[in-house]
Amino acid sequence: MPPTGVALQDARARLFDAADRVVLRDGASALTSRAVTEELGVAKGVLHRHFPDFDTFLAEWVVQKTARLRDLGDELNTVAGTSSVVANLRDALARVFDSLGLATIRIVIARDAVRARLRASGDHPLSYLGQATNILTAYLAAERDHGRLVPSADPRTLALALMGSGHLLFGEVGAAPSQEAVDEVVASIVVRVEPGFPAPGPA
């Protein structure tokens, strides 16, 4: 292990990458400052030279994970009107609620200090969930414009339902849900706003 005085190139990015590896291998509960620095093979003081404390490190890690959702938004804009709505949403939910996404949500919910630092920096504590909801809302609005959802469909309401159901589905302890299970949940939410679904009869 190098001494704390040894310079580390791109230290912040490498520390974030090490945190990713810890989460992917051992889960969010294993993410400690010692675990991060041991994963990177540096002394513990290296992290504290670049971040005032571990909660600040975690808050910036959360911001980084939220920013990566922009790629998902760009990809959904590209596929709107192609493939099937259910398949596109299934793939999007799998990206939002992958191992790193779930860890991001769990850390923000579990650590008051991380939420406080996010607020202090101008970020909403639940920005990851909010950003993902906004991305799904924009995609669903685009599908409505393509005529693949009925004009009366409310993209925001649908996105919130998908996010809540997706979090419960992917957040269950154990193996990730099957593609068929995700498709079933997504279809149950969007089928009633797809063209051709029979209108409800009189009460």
Side-chain angles (χ1 to χ4, degrees), residues 55-92:
D55 287 315
T56 300
F57 170 82
L58 289 176
E60 295 195 28
W61 183 80
V62 167
V63 170
Q64 184 201 54
K65 295 295 163 286
T66 303
R68 77 183 180 131
L69 290 173
R70 285 195 293 264
D71 291 339
L72 174 60
D74 292 341
E75 291 171 23
L76 283 175
N77 288 336
T78 300
V79 301
T82 68
S83 186
S84 74
V85 175
V86 169
N88 292 338
L89 288 169
R90 172 231 303 149
D91 294 344

PDB file of all heavy atoms in Angstrom, residues 55-92:
ATOM      1  N   ASP A  55     -19.034  11.130   4.166  1.00  0.00           N
ATOM      2  CA  ASP A  55     -20.381  11.458   3.708  1.00  0.00           C
ATOM      3  C   ASP A  55     -20.344  12.410   2.512  1.00  0.00           C
ATOM      4  O   ASP A  55     -21.190  12.316   1.618  1.00  0.00           O
ATOM      5  CB  ASP A  55     -21.196  12.072   4.852  1.00  0.00           C
ATOM      6  CG  ASP A  55     -21.602  11.029   5.882  1.00  0.00           C
ATOM      7  OD1 ASP A  55     -22.054   9.940   5.474  1.00  0.00           O
ATOM      8  OD2 ASP A  55     -21.464  11.287   7.085  1.00  0.00           O
ATOM      9  N   THR A  56     -19.385  13.315   2.484  1.00  0.00           N
ATOM     10  CA  THR A  56     -19.230  14.174   1.312  1.00  0.00           C
ATOM     11  C   THR A  56     -18.828  13.350   0.096  1.00  0.00           C
ATOM     12  O   THR A  56     -19.326  13.567  -1.020  1.00  0.00           O
ATOM     13  CB  THR A  56     -18.180  15.261   1.586  1.00  0.00           C
ATOM     14  OG1 THR A  56     -18.608  16.057   2.700  1.00  0.00           O
ATOM     15  CG2 THR A  56     -17.996  16.168   0.367  1.00  0.00           C
ATOM     16  N   PHE A  57     -17.927  12.393   0.301  1.00  0.00           N
ATOM     17  CA  PHE A  57     -17.565  11.483  -0.789  1.00  0.00           C
ATOM     18  C   PHE A  57     -18.797  10.762  -1.320  1.00  0.00           C
ATOM     19  O   PHE A  57     -19.026  10.685  -2.540  1.00  0.00           O
ATOM     20  CB  PHE A  57     -16.542  10.458  -0.291  1.00  0.00           C
ATOM     21  CG  PHE A  57     -16.276   9.334  -1.256  1.00  0.00           C
ATOM     22  CD1 PHE A  57     -15.392   9.487  -2.308  1.00  0.00           C
ATOM     23  CD2 PHE A  57     -16.939   8.112  -1.112  1.00  0.00           C
ATOM     24  CE1 PHE A  57     -15.159   8.448  -3.223  1.00  0.00           C
ATOM     25  CE2 PHE A  57     -16.709   7.069  -2.006  1.00  0.00           C
ATOM     26  CZ  PHE A  57     -15.819   7.247  -3.058  1.00  0.00           C
ATOM     27  N   LEU A  58     -19.617  10.233  -0.407  1.00  0.00           N
ATOM     28  CA  LEU A  58     -20.808   9.508  -0.835  1.00  0.00           C
ATOM     29  C   LEU A  58     -21.790  10.419  -1.559  1.00  0.00           C
ATOM     30  O   LEU A  58     -22.413  10.011  -2.549  1.00  0.00           O
ATOM     31  CB  LEU A  58     -21.490   8.855   0.371  1.00  0.00           C
ATOM     32  CG  LEU A  58     -20.774   7.663   0.997  1.00  0.00           C
ATOM     33  CD1 LEU A  58     -21.526   7.185   2.243  1.00  0.00           C
ATOM     34  CD2 LEU A  58     -20.640   6.515   0.001  1.00  0.00           C
ATOM     35  N   ALA A  59     -21.943  11.653  -1.073  1.00  0.00           N
ATOM     36  CA  ALA A  59     -22.861  12.588  -1.737  1.00  0.00           C
ATOM     37  C   ALA A  59     -22.409  12.856  -3.166  1.00  0.00           C
ATOM     38  O   ALA A  59     -23.232  12.885  -4.100  1.00  0.00           O
ATOM     39  CB  ALA A  59     -22.948  13.889  -0.948  1.00  0.00           C
ATOM     40  N   GLU A  60     -21.120  13.036  -3.369  1.00  0.00           N
ATOM     41  CA  GLU A  60     -20.624  13.277  -4.726  1.00  0.00           C
ATOM     42  C   GLU A  60     -20.710  12.013  -5.580  1.00  0.00           C
ATOM     43  O   GLU A  60     -20.924  12.094  -6.795  1.00  0.00           O
ATOM     44  CB  GLU A  60     -19.198  13.813  -4.668  1.00  0.00           C
ATOM     45  CG  GLU A  60     -19.119  15.188  -4.016  1.00  0.00           C
ATOM     46  CD  GLU A  60     -17.799  15.891  -4.278  1.00  0.00           C
ATOM     47  OE1 GLU A  60     -17.176  15.617  -5.322  1.00  0.00           O
ATOM     48  OE2 GLU A  60     -17.403  16.707  -3.419  1.00  0.00           O
ATOM     49  N   TRP A  61     -20.565  10.861  -4.955  1.00  0.00           N
ATOM     50  CA  TRP A  61     -20.749   9.595  -5.670  1.00  0.00           C
ATOM     51  C   TRP A  61     -22.193   9.476  -6.151  1.00  0.00           C
ATOM     52  O   TRP A  61     -22.456   9.055  -7.274  1.00  0.00           O
ATOM     53  CB  TRP A  61     -20.379   8.442  -4.742  1.00  0.00           C
ATOM     54  CG  TRP A  61     -20.432   7.071  -5.335  1.00  0.00           C
ATOM     55  CD1 TRP A  61     -19.483   6.469  -6.124  1.00  0.00           C
ATOM     56  CD2 TRP A  61     -21.469   6.102  -5.159  1.00  0.00           C
ATOM     57  NE1 TRP A  61     -19.873   5.187  -6.464  1.00  0.00           N
ATOM     58  CE2 TRP A  61     -21.087   4.935  -5.883  1.00  0.00           C
ATOM     59  CE3 TRP A  61     -22.686   6.101  -4.467  1.00  0.00           C
ATOM     60  CZ2 TRP A  61     -21.881   3.794  -5.930  1.00  0.00           C
ATOM     61  CZ3 TRP A  61     -23.478   4.961  -4.508  1.00  0.00           C
ATOM     62  CH2 TRP A  61     -23.069   3.828  -5.235  1.00  0.00           C
ATOM     63  N   VAL A  62     -23.150   9.870  -5.300  1.00  0.00           N
ATOM     64  CA  VAL A  62     -24.568   9.859  -5.677  1.00  0.00           C
ATOM     65  C   VAL A  62     -24.816  10.806  -6.858  1.00  0.00           C
ATOM     66  O   VAL A  62     -25.534  10.460  -7.801  1.00  0.00           O
ATOM     67  CB  VAL A  62     -25.445  10.246  -4.472  1.00  0.00           C
ATOM     68  CG1 VAL A  62     -26.883  10.552  -4.914  1.00  0.00           C
ATOM     69  CG2 VAL A  62     -25.440   9.141  -3.425  1.00  0.00           C
ATOM     70  N   VAL A  63     -24.225  11.989  -6.816  1.00  0.00           N
ATOM     71  CA  VAL A  63     -24.381  12.942  -7.920  1.00  0.00           C
ATOM     72  C   VAL A  63     -23.836  12.351  -9.215  1.00  0.00           C
ATOM     73  O   VAL A  63     -24.433  12.498 -10.291  1.00  0.00           O
ATOM     74  CB  VAL A  63     -23.678  14.272  -7.583  1.00  0.00           C
ATOM     75  CG1 VAL A  63     -23.630  15.185  -8.811  1.00  0.00           C
ATOM     76  CG2 VAL A  63     -24.400  14.975  -6.434  1.00  0.00           C
ATOM     77  N   GLN A  64     -22.710  11.657  -9.113  1.00  0.00           N
ATOM     78  CA  GLN A  64     -22.134  11.022 -10.304  1.00  0.00           C
ATOM     79  C   GLN A  64     -23.077   9.965 -10.871  1.00  0.00           C
ATOM     80  O   GLN A  64     -23.270   9.866 -12.094  1.00  0.00           O
ATOM     81  CB  GLN A  64     -20.788  10.389  -9.952  1.00  0.00           C
ATOM     82  CG  GLN A  64     -20.061   9.782 -11.157  1.00  0.00           C
ATOM     83  CD  GLN A  64     -19.040   8.743 -10.736  1.00  0.00           C
ATOM     84  OE1 GLN A  64     -19.359   7.792 -10.028  1.00  0.00           O
ATOM     85  NE2 GLN A  64     -17.809   8.928 -11.178  1.00  0.00           N
ATOM     86  N   LYS A  65     -23.679   9.169 -10.001  1.00  0.00           N
ATOM     87  CA  LYS A  65     -24.591   8.127 -10.465  1.00  0.00           C
ATOM     88  C   LYS A  65     -25.850   8.742 -11.082  1.00  0.00           C
ATOM     89  O   LYS A  65     -26.413   8.205 -12.043  1.00  0.00           O
ATOM     90  CB  LYS A  65     -24.977   7.201  -9.307  1.00  0.00           C
ATOM     91  CG  LYS A  65     -23.807   6.414  -8.769  1.00  0.00           C
ATOM     92  CD  LYS A  65     -23.274   5.435  -9.811  1.00  0.00           C
ATOM     93  CE  LYS A  65     -21.885   4.944  -9.478  1.00  0.00           C
ATOM     94  NZ  LYS A  65     -20.827   5.914  -9.699  1.00  0.00           N
ATOM     95  N   THR A  66     -26.288   9.861 -10.546  1.00  0.00           N
ATOM     96  CA  THR A  66     -27.449  10.543 -11.112  1.00  0.00           C
ATOM     97  C   THR A  66     -27.124  11.088 -12.495  1.00  0.00           C
ATOM     98  O   THR A  66     -27.943  10.999 -13.422  1.00  0.00           O
ATOM     99  CB  THR A  66     -27.900  11.682 -10.181  1.00  0.00           C
ATOM    100  OG1 THR A  66     -28.193  11.140  -8.874  1.00  0.00           O
ATOM    101  CG2 THR A  66     -29.136  12.379 -10.722  1.00  0.00           C
ATOM    102  N   ALA A  67     -25.926  11.627 -12.661  1.00  0.00           N
ATOM    103  CA  ALA A  67     -25.528  12.198 -13.951  1.00  0.00           C
ATOM    104  C   ALA A  67     -25.473  11.151 -15.052  1.00  0.00           C
ATOM    105  O   ALA A  67     -25.761  11.447 -16.211  1.00  0.00           O
ATOM    106  CB  ALA A  67     -24.174  12.898 -13.814  1.00  0.00           C
ATOM    107  N   ARG A  68     -25.142   9.917 -14.686  1.00  0.00           N
ATOM    108  CA  ARG A  68     -25.037   8.882 -15.717  1.00  0.00           C
ATOM    109  C   ARG A  68     -26.385   8.555 -16.334  1.00  0.00           C
ATOM    110  O   ARG A  68     -26.454   7.962 -17.419  1.00  0.00           O
ATOM    111  CB  ARG A  68     -24.398   7.619 -15.147  1.00  0.00           C
ATOM    112  CG  ARG A  68     -25.320   6.775 -14.286  1.00  0.00           C
ATOM    113  CD  ARG A  68     -24.652   5.567 -13.685  1.00  0.00           C
ATOM    114  NE  ARG A  68     -25.600   4.810 -12.874  1.00  0.00           N
ATOM    115  CZ  ARG A  68     -25.786   3.511 -12.971  1.00  0.00           C
ATOM    116  NH1 ARG A  68     -25.097   2.791 -13.823  1.00  0.00           N
ATOM    117  NH2 ARG A  68     -26.670   2.894 -12.200  1.00  0.00           N
ATOM    118  N   LEU A  69     -27.473   8.944 -15.679  1.00  0.00           N
ATOM    119  CA  LEU A  69     -28.802   8.703 -16.233  1.00  0.00           C
ATOM    120  C   LEU A  69     -29.045   9.508 -17.505  1.00  0.00           C
ATOM    121  O   LEU A  69     -29.959   9.182 -18.268  1.00  0.00           O
ATOM    122  CB  LEU A  69     -29.878   9.038 -15.194  1.00  0.00           C
ATOM    123  CG  LEU A  69     -29.988   8.094 -13.991  1.00  0.00           C
ATOM    124  CD1 LEU A  69     -30.969   8.651 -12.975  1.00  0.00           C
ATOM    125  CD2 LEU A  69     -30.413   6.692 -14.428  1.00  0.00           C
ATOM    126  N   ARG A  70     -28.239  10.545 -17.724  1.00  0.00           N
ATOM    127  CA  ARG A  70     -28.415  11.319 -18.953  1.00  0.00           C
ATOM    128  C   ARG A  70     -28.253  10.435 -20.185  1.00  0.00           C
ATOM    129  O   ARG A  70     -28.952  10.631 -21.189  1.00  0.00           O
ATOM    130  CB  ARG A  70     -27.422  12.481 -18.992  1.00  0.00           C
ATOM    131  CG  ARG A  70     -27.771  13.633 -18.060  1.00  0.00           C
ATOM    132  CD  ARG A  70     -26.967  14.875 -18.406  1.00  0.00           C
ATOM    133  NE  ARG A  70     -25.555  14.691 -18.134  1.00  0.00           N
ATOM    134  CZ  ARG A  70     -24.951  15.080 -17.016  1.00  0.00           C
ATOM    135  NH1 ARG A  70     -25.647  15.670 -16.061  1.00  0.00           N
ATOM    136  NH2 ARG A  70     -23.652  14.886 -16.841  1.00  0.00           N
ATOM    137  N   ASP A  71     -27.339   9.486 -20.132  1.00  0.00           N
ATOM    138  CA  ASP A  71     -27.160   8.569 -21.265  1.00  0.00           C
ATOM    139  C   ASP A  71     -28.431   7.762 -21.521  1.00  0.00           C
ATOM    140  O   ASP A  71     -28.807   7.533 -22.674  1.00  0.00           O
ATOM    141  CB  ASP A  71     -25.989   7.622 -21.006  1.00  0.00           C
ATOM    142  CG  ASP A  71     -24.651   8.333 -21.015  1.00  0.00           C
ATOM    143  OD1 ASP A  71     -24.569   9.437 -21.602  1.00  0.00           O
ATOM    144  OD2 ASP A  71     -23.690   7.798 -20.428  1.00  0.00           O
ATOM    145  N   LEU A  72     -29.085   7.337 -20.447  1.00  0.00           N
ATOM    146  CA  LEU A  72     -30.330   6.596 -20.603  1.00  0.00           C
ATOM    147  C   LEU A  72     -31.391   7.470 -21.264  1.00  0.00           C
ATOM    148  O   LEU A  72     -32.119   7.006 -22.153  1.00  0.00           O
ATOM    149  CB  LEU A  72     -30.825   6.102 -19.242  1.00  0.00           C
ATOM    150  CG  LEU A  72     -32.203   5.435 -19.223  1.00  0.00           C
ATOM    151  CD1 LEU A  72     -32.223   4.208 -20.130  1.00  0.00           C
ATOM    152  CD2 LEU A  72     -32.600   5.070 -17.794  1.00  0.00           C
ATOM    153  N   GLY A  73     -31.478   8.726 -20.846  1.00  0.00           N
ATOM    154  CA  GLY A  73     -32.442   9.632 -21.450  1.00  0.00           C
ATOM    155  C   GLY A  73     -32.203   9.802 -22.935  1.00  0.00           C
ATOM    156  O   GLY A  73     -33.149   9.797 -23.740  1.00  0.00           O
ATOM    157  N   ASP A  74     -30.934   9.944 -23.316  1.00  0.00           N
ATOM    158  CA  ASP A  74     -30.600  10.089 -24.740  1.00  0.00           C
ATOM    159  C   ASP A  74     -30.995   8.841 -25.522  1.00  0.00           C
ATOM    160  O   ASP A  74     -31.523   8.934 -26.640  1.00  0.00           O
ATOM    161  CB  ASP A  74     -29.098  10.353 -24.903  1.00  0.00           C
ATOM    162  CG  ASP A  74     -28.676  11.708 -24.363  1.00  0.00           C
ATOM    163  OD1 ASP A  74     -29.551  12.585 -24.203  1.00  0.00           O
ATOM    164  OD2 ASP A  74     -27.469  11.883 -24.096  1.00  0.00           O
ATOM    165  N   GLU A  75     -30.753   7.674 -24.941  1.00  0.00           N
ATOM    166  CA  GLU A  75     -31.075   6.429 -25.637  1.00  0.00           C
ATOM    167  C   GLU A  75     -32.582   6.245 -25.781  1.00  0.00           C
ATOM    168  O   GLU A  75     -33.066   5.792 -26.832  1.00  0.00           O
ATOM    169  CB  GLU A  75     -30.463   5.248 -24.891  1.00  0.00           C
ATOM    170  CG  GLU A  75     -28.944   5.226 -24.967  1.00  0.00           C
ATOM    171  CD  GLU A  75     -28.322   4.190 -24.049  1.00  0.00           C
ATOM    172  OE1 GLU A  75     -29.035   3.216 -23.693  1.00  0.00           O
ATOM    173  OE2 GLU A  75     -27.152   4.345 -23.684  1.00  0.00           O
ATOM    174  N   LEU A  76     -33.342   6.618 -24.763  1.00  0.00           N
ATOM    175  CA  LEU A  76     -34.796   6.502 -24.864  1.00  0.00           C
ATOM    176  C   LEU A  76     -35.352   7.463 -25.905  1.00  0.00           C
ATOM    177  O   LEU A  76     -36.315   7.135 -26.606  1.00  0.00           O
ATOM    178  CB  LEU A  76     -35.440   6.757 -23.498  1.00  0.00           C
ATOM    179  CG  LEU A  76     -35.358   5.603 -22.497  1.00  0.00           C
ATOM    180  CD1 LEU A  76     -35.932   6.024 -21.155  1.00  0.00           C
ATOM    181  CD2 LEU A  76     -36.097   4.377 -23.015  1.00  0.00           C
ATOM    182  N   ASN A  77     -34.771   8.640 -26.007  1.00  0.00           N
ATOM    183  CA  ASN A  77     -35.200   9.570 -27.062  1.00  0.00           C
ATOM    184  C   ASN A  77     -34.995   8.959 -28.436  1.00  0.00           C
ATOM    185  O   ASN A  77     -35.793   9.164 -29.359  1.00  0.00           O
ATOM    186  CB  ASN A  77     -34.425  10.887 -26.961  1.00  0.00           C
ATOM    187  CG  ASN A  77     -34.840  11.725 -25.772  1.00  0.00           C
ATOM    188  OD1 ASN A  77     -35.955  11.581 -25.275  1.00  0.00           O
ATOM    189  ND2 ASN A  77     -33.962  12.602 -25.315  1.00  0.00           N
ATOM    190  N   THR A  78     -33.930   8.183 -28.571  1.00  0.00           N
ATOM    191  CA  THR A  78     -33.615   7.566 -29.864  1.00  0.00           C
ATOM    192  C   THR A  78     -34.572   6.428 -30.207  1.00  0.00           C
ATOM    193  O   THR A  78     -34.964   6.270 -31.365  1.00  0.00           O
ATOM    194  CB  THR A  78     -32.165   7.032 -29.851  1.00  0.00           C
ATOM    195  OG1 THR A  78     -31.268   8.117 -29.614  1.00  0.00           O
ATOM    196  CG2 THR A  78     -31.812   6.383 -31.180  1.00  0.00           C
ATOM    197  N   VAL A  79     -34.972   5.641 -29.199  1.00  0.00           N
ATOM    198  CA  VAL A  79     -35.781   4.457 -29.486  1.00  0.00           C
ATOM    199  C   VAL A  79     -37.280   4.731 -29.448  1.00  0.00           C
ATOM    200  O   VAL A  79     -38.080   3.853 -29.797  1.00  0.00           O
ATOM    201  CB  VAL A  79     -35.453   3.301 -28.517  1.00  0.00           C
ATOM    202  CG1 VAL A  79     -33.998   2.924 -28.615  1.00  0.00           C
ATOM    203  CG2 VAL A  79     -35.828   3.659 -27.077  1.00  0.00           C
ATOM    204  N   ALA A  80     -37.692   5.928 -29.027  1.00  0.00           N
ATOM    205  CA  ALA A  80     -39.126   6.245 -28.996  1.00  0.00           C
ATOM    206  C   ALA A  80     -39.725   6.043 -30.381  1.00  0.00           C
ATOM    207  O   ALA A  80     -39.191   6.501 -31.382  1.00  0.00           O
ATOM    208  CB  ALA A  80     -39.344   7.680 -28.540  1.00  0.00           C
ATOM    209  N   GLY A  81     -40.827   5.302 -30.442  1.00  0.00           N
ATOM    210  CA  GLY A  81     -41.463   5.001 -31.707  1.00  0.00           C
ATOM    211  C   GLY A  81     -40.976   3.726 -32.344  1.00  0.00           C
ATOM    212  O   GLY A  81     -41.465   3.337 -33.406  1.00  0.00           O
ATOM    213  N   THR A  82     -39.995   3.052 -31.735  1.00  0.00           N
ATOM    214  CA  THR A  82     -39.467   1.796 -32.274  1.00  0.00           C
ATOM    215  C   THR A  82     -39.598   0.699 -31.229  1.00  0.00           C
ATOM    216  O   THR A  82     -39.877   0.966 -30.057  1.00  0.00           O
ATOM    217  CB  THR A  82     -37.989   1.936 -32.673  1.00  0.00           C
ATOM    218  OG1 THR A  82     -37.193   2.107 -31.491  1.00  0.00           O
ATOM    219  CG2 THR A  82     -37.779   3.136 -33.583  1.00  0.00           C
ATOM    220  N   SER A  83     -39.343  -0.553 -31.649  1.00  0.00           N
ATOM    221  CA  SER A  83     -39.481  -1.708 -30.770  1.00  0.00           C
ATOM    222  C   SER A  83     -40.874  -1.675 -30.147  1.00  0.00           C
ATOM    223  O   SER A  83     -41.830  -1.250 -30.790  1.00  0.00           O
ATOM    224  CB  SER A  83     -38.362  -1.717 -29.720  1.00  0.00           C
ATOM    225  OG  SER A  83     -38.399  -2.887 -28.940  1.00  0.00           O
ATOM    226  N   SER A  84     -41.004  -2.113 -28.921  1.00  0.00           N
ATOM    227  CA  SER A  84     -42.296  -2.011 -28.241  1.00  0.00           C
ATOM    228  C   SER A  84     -42.137  -1.137 -27.009  1.00  0.00           C
ATOM    229  O   SER A  84     -41.053  -1.057 -26.425  1.00  0.00           O
ATOM    230  CB  SER A  84     -42.813  -3.391 -27.832  1.00  0.00           C
ATOM    231  OG  SER A  84     -42.089  -3.899 -26.729  1.00  0.00           O
ATOM    232  N   VAL A  85     -43.223  -0.491 -26.629  1.00  0.00           N
ATOM    233  CA  VAL A  85     -43.174   0.371 -25.452  1.00  0.00           C
ATOM    234  C   VAL A  85     -42.790  -0.445 -24.225  1.00  0.00           C
ATOM    235  O   VAL A  85     -41.967  -0.016 -23.406  1.00  0.00           O
ATOM    236  CB  VAL A  85     -44.532   1.076 -25.245  1.00  0.00           C
ATOM    237  CG1 VAL A  85     -44.525   1.877 -23.945  1.00  0.00           C
ATOM    238  CG2 VAL A  85     -44.855   1.984 -26.428  1.00  0.00           C
ATOM    239  N   VAL A  86     -43.357  -1.630 -24.099  1.00  0.00           N
ATOM    240  CA  VAL A  86     -43.058  -2.474 -22.934  1.00  0.00           C
ATOM    241  C   VAL A  86     -41.579  -2.845 -22.904  1.00  0.00           C
ATOM    242  O   VAL A  86     -40.918  -2.759 -21.856  1.00  0.00           O
ATOM    243  CB  VAL A  86     -43.940  -3.739 -22.946  1.00  0.00           C
ATOM    244  CG1 VAL A  86     -43.444  -4.750 -21.902  1.00  0.00           C
ATOM    245  CG2 VAL A  86     -45.388  -3.374 -22.666  1.00  0.00           C
ATOM    246  N   ALA A  87     -41.025  -3.253 -24.040  1.00  0.00           N
ATOM    247  CA  ALA A  87     -39.613  -3.637 -24.076  1.00  0.00           C
ATOM    248  C   ALA A  87     -38.709  -2.459 -23.751  1.00  0.00           C
ATOM    249  O   ALA A  87     -37.725  -2.596 -23.010  1.00  0.00           O
ATOM    250  CB  ALA A  87     -39.265  -4.213 -25.442  1.00  0.00           C
ATOM    251  N   ASN A  88     -39.014  -1.292 -24.294  1.00  0.00           N
ATOM    252  CA  ASN A  88     -38.196  -0.111 -24.022  1.00  0.00           C
ATOM    253  C   ASN A  88     -38.228   0.255 -22.542  1.00  0.00           C
ATOM    254  O   ASN A  88     -37.196   0.600 -21.948  1.00  0.00           O
ATOM    255  CB  ASN A  88     -38.673   1.070 -24.861  1.00  0.00           C
ATOM    256  CG  ASN A  88     -38.414   0.878 -26.348  1.00  0.00           C
ATOM    257  OD1 ASN A  88     -37.554   0.097 -26.751  1.00  0.00           O
ATOM    258  ND2 ASN A  88     -39.161   1.586 -27.175  1.00  0.00           N
ATOM    259  N   LEU A  89     -39.408   0.167 -21.936  1.00  0.00           N
ATOM    260  CA  LEU A  89     -39.528   0.502 -20.518  1.00  0.00           C
ATOM    261  C   LEU A  89     -38.874  -0.559 -19.643  1.00  0.00           C
ATOM    262  O   LEU A  89     -38.259  -0.240 -18.622  1.00  0.00           O
ATOM    263  CB  LEU A  89     -41.002   0.663 -20.153  1.00  0.00           C
ATOM    264  CG  LEU A  89     -41.676   1.919 -20.694  1.00  0.00           C
ATOM    265  CD1 LEU A  89     -43.187   1.841 -20.506  1.00  0.00           C
ATOM    266  CD2 LEU A  89     -41.129   3.183 -20.028  1.00  0.00           C
ATOM    267  N   ARG A  90     -38.994  -1.830 -20.028  1.00  0.00           N
ATOM    268  CA  ARG A  90     -38.333  -2.889 -19.275  1.00  0.00           C
ATOM    269  C   ARG A  90     -36.820  -2.663 -19.236  1.00  0.00           C
ATOM    270  O   ARG A  90     -36.193  -2.757 -18.173  1.00  0.00           O
ATOM    271  CB  ARG A  90     -38.625  -4.240 -19.892  1.00  0.00           C
ATOM    272  CG  ARG A  90     -37.827  -5.388 -19.277  1.00  0.00           C
ATOM    273  CD  ARG A  90     -37.145  -6.205 -20.351  1.00  0.00           C
ATOM    274  NE  ARG A  90     -38.118  -6.709 -21.299  1.00  0.00           N
ATOM    275  CZ  ARG A  90     -37.838  -6.914 -22.587  1.00  0.00           C
ATOM    276  NH1 ARG A  90     -36.637  -6.640 -23.074  1.00  0.00           N
ATOM    277  NH2 ARG A  90     -38.752  -7.387 -23.411  1.00  0.00           N
ATOM    278  N   ASP A  91     -36.244  -2.348 -20.389  1.00  0.00           N
ATOM    279  CA  ASP A  91     -34.798  -2.120 -20.441  1.00  0.00           C
ATOM    280  C   ASP A  91     -34.410  -0.892 -19.632  1.00  0.00           C
ATOM    281  O   ASP A  91     -33.361  -0.868 -18.975  1.00  0.00           O
ATOM    282  CB  ASP A  91     -34.343  -1.967 -21.891  1.00  0.00           C
ATOM    283  CG  ASP A  91     -34.502  -3.258 -22.691  1.00  0.00           C
ATOM    284  OD1 ASP A  91     -34.665  -4.324 -22.064  1.00  0.00           O
ATOM    285  OD2 ASP A  91     -34.465  -3.191 -23.932  1.00  0.00           O
ATOM    286  N   ALA A  92     -35.255   0.147 -19.675  1.00  0.00           N
ATOM    287  CA  ALA A  92     -34.962   1.369 -18.924  1.00  0.00           C
ATOM    288  C   ALA A  92     -34.990   1.103 -17.426  1.00  0.00           C
ATOM    289  O   ALA A  92     -34.102   1.557 -16.679  1.00  0.00           O
ATOM    290  CB  ALA A  92     -35.963   2.466 -19.289  1.00  0.00           C
TER     291      ALA A  92
END
